[in-house]
Amino acid sequence: MKLILASASPRRKELLSLITDKFTISVADVDERLIEEEFISDANNLCEDGSVNNYKLPAALALAKAKAVL
C-alpha cells in the first residue's frame, strides 16, 4: 500500500512518521476556505440547530485533498 500525505503540515508529517517512514508528501493545491464556504452553504451539511457538522467537514476537506493529489 502506498501512503501519500496530502499536507504541508510539519506536525502531520511528524505524526505519520511515528507510524511509518514509507510515505510520500504531495501537497494538495486546494483552497480550504472555498471548500468550507461551499460546505456550509449546503444545508445537508448542517446540524438541526444550524451549526456546522464538525464530523463531516474534515471528511470533505480530506476528500478534496485526496482528489487533488490523485
Side-chain angles (χ1 to χ4, degrees), residues 1-67:
M1 175 172 59
K2 182 178 178 182
L3 291 176
I4 300 171
L5 177 62
S7 172
S9 166
R11 180 65 177 150
R12 287 192 172 93
K13 177 183 176 185
E14 178 187 1
L15 291 171
L16 188 55
S17 68
L18 294 173
I19 299 169
T20 183
D21 60 347
K22 297 179 182 179
F23 65 93
T24 58
I25 298 173
S26 181
V27 179
D29 185 23
V30 297
D31 185 343
E32 289 189 31
R33 285 187 167 198
L34 179 62
I35 294 167
E36 288 178 22
E37 288 172 6
E38 290 174 358
F39 182 87
I40 291 168
S41 69
D42 184 345
N44 292 322
N45 296 322
L46 302 178
C47 297
E48 289 180 13
D49 66 358
S51 63
V52 176
N53 186 318
N54 290 319
Y55 295 102
K56 288 185 178 181
L57 180 56
L61 291 170
L63 181 59
K65 288 181 179 187
K67 286 179 180 180

